[in-house]
């Protein structure tokens, strides 16, 4: 998938659920709950050993879903994620190695940043969007607005502390294409097999996005 195609879809959906899966058997019911809830997208984080298998299971079962890999910290994980079917890579901080690898191999990447220096690197790679992380702790919307001023045209995907209460503040900012967040896919719910609840919370998140759009 091309970067622009990915970004177009992410911008339409406006939320990227950030998922931590301890057990790859949860990947399919989780994917189904997100699809049924109206958010066919997931950033499956390499925070657990089940990440690669979960990405593989989800992307094979739901080819139309945007399954990406998050918390990618090295090229090895990046290659593994792509082999398993990940359509995009998200890093928590800026990695020159991972960013260069993705750019050279035409793999969509949203590098994690929270400073103007890191943004210079993103801009120098010609990338259009950065993940701003952790968003709430680094000043939220007002920091994004300040960072966006010198980097004309650059867009952000804030993640970290985004929830149903503050989503509108973020999405109203024109430099923000979408928000990442785990509030509708909390690990406790996944572990407890509460996929109906995940579906309902996903639906609520989608309704919020629709209200914000209206
Ligand atoms: C991430 O990895 O991007 C964050 O853990 C997601 O942040 P949240 O749990 O505060 O939504």
């Amino acid at each position: 998938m091309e970067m622009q195609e990915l970004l177009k879809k992410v911008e339409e959906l406006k939320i990227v659920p950030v998922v931590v899966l301890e057990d790859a058997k949860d990947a399919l019911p989780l994917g189904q709950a997100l699809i049924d809830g109206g958010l066919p997208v997931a950033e499956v984080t390499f925070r657990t050993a089940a990440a690669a298998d979960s990405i593989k299971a989800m992307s094979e079962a739901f080819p139309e879903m945007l399954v990406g890999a998050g918390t990618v910290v090295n090229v090895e994980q990046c290659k593994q994620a792509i082999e398993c079917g990940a359509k995009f890579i998200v890093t928590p901080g800026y990695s020159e190695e991972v960013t260069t690898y993705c750019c050279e191999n035409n793999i969509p990447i949203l590098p994690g940043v929270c400073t103007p220096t890191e943004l210079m690197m993103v801009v120098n790679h010609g990338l259009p969007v950065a993940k701003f992380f952790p968003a709430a702790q680094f000043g939220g919307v007002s920091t994004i607005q300040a960072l966006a001023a010198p980097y004309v045209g650059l867009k952000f995907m804030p993640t970290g502390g985004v929830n149903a209460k503050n989503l509108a503040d973020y999405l109203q900012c024109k430099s923000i294409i979408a928000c990442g967040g785990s509030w509708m896919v909390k690990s406790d719910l996944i572990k407890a097999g509460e996929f109906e609840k995940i579906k309902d919370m996903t639906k609520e998140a989608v309704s919020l996005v629709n209200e914000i759009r209206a």
Side-chain angles (χ1 to χ4, degrees):
M1 177 175 279
E2 293 290 324
M3 187 78 184
Q4 290 305 334
E5 189 188 349
L6 171 89
L7 294 177
K8 195 166 163 264
K9 288 188 177 173
V10 166
E11 189 160 20
E12 268 163 30
L13 293 166
K14 295 282 181 206
I15 300 175
V16 175
V18 177
V19 182
V20 179
L21 285 161
E22 300 288 346
D23 190 333
K25 78 163 172 32
D26 294 328
L28 295 192
L30 177 81
Q32 193 66 60
L34 288 172
I35 291 169
D36 293 346
L39 268 183
V41 53
E43 176 189 325
V44 179
T45 59
F46 266 77
R47 258 169 246 189
T48 65
D53 287 344
S54 301
I55 290 172
K56 192 167 195 302
M58 239 191 261
S59 46
E60 279 176 7
F62 312 116
E64 74 288 5
M65 187 174 181
L66 279 185
V67 181
T71 323
V72 171
V73 298
N74 55 46
V75 171
E76 199 186 312
Q77 284 176 339
C78 182
K79 287 181 182 167
Q80 204 187 356
I82 297 301
E83 271 166 28
C84 290
K87 294 190 173 85
F88 63 95
I89 300 291
V90 184
T91 60
Y94 185 80
S95 160
E96 185 57 45
E97 205 193 2
V98 176
T99 307
T100 300
Y101 180 80
C102 286
C103 290
E104 283 177 357
N105 291 282
N106 217 13
I107 299 165
I109 177 170
L110 289 99
V113 302
C114 64
T115 69
T117 308
E118 293 155 339
L119 277 172
M120 281 177 63
M121 303 180 207
V122 171
V123 168
N124 285 334
H125 274 285
L127 291 169
V129 181
K131 162 171 165 161
F132 179 60
F133 176 78
Q137 291 80 356
F138 277 96
V141 178
S142 64
T143 301
I144 290 175
Q145 278 165 337
L147 287 171
Y151 301 114
V152 179
L154 191 71
K155 296 282 165 77
F156 296 83
M157 180 177 80
T159 308
V162 181
N163 54 48
K165 289 199 182 80
N166 59 21
L167 182 70
D169 296 340
Y170 283 103
L171 291 184
Q172 274 153 9
C173 171
K174 64 176 177 12
S175 298
I176 293 175
I177 68 155
C179 290
S182 66
W183 78 94
M184 76 303 284
V185 286
K186 286 279 171 229
S187 296
D188 294 357
L189 294 176
I190 297 174
K191 278 185 210 149
E194 302 251 32
F195 298 106
E196 274 300 306
K197 173 103 175 129
I198 290 174
K199 183 182 79 182
D200 292 345
M201 289 181 75
T202 302
K203 276 190 180 164
E204 278 168 33
V206 172
S207 308
L208 268 177
V209 169
N210 290 336
E211 271 170 39
I212 296 162
R213 270 203 194 105

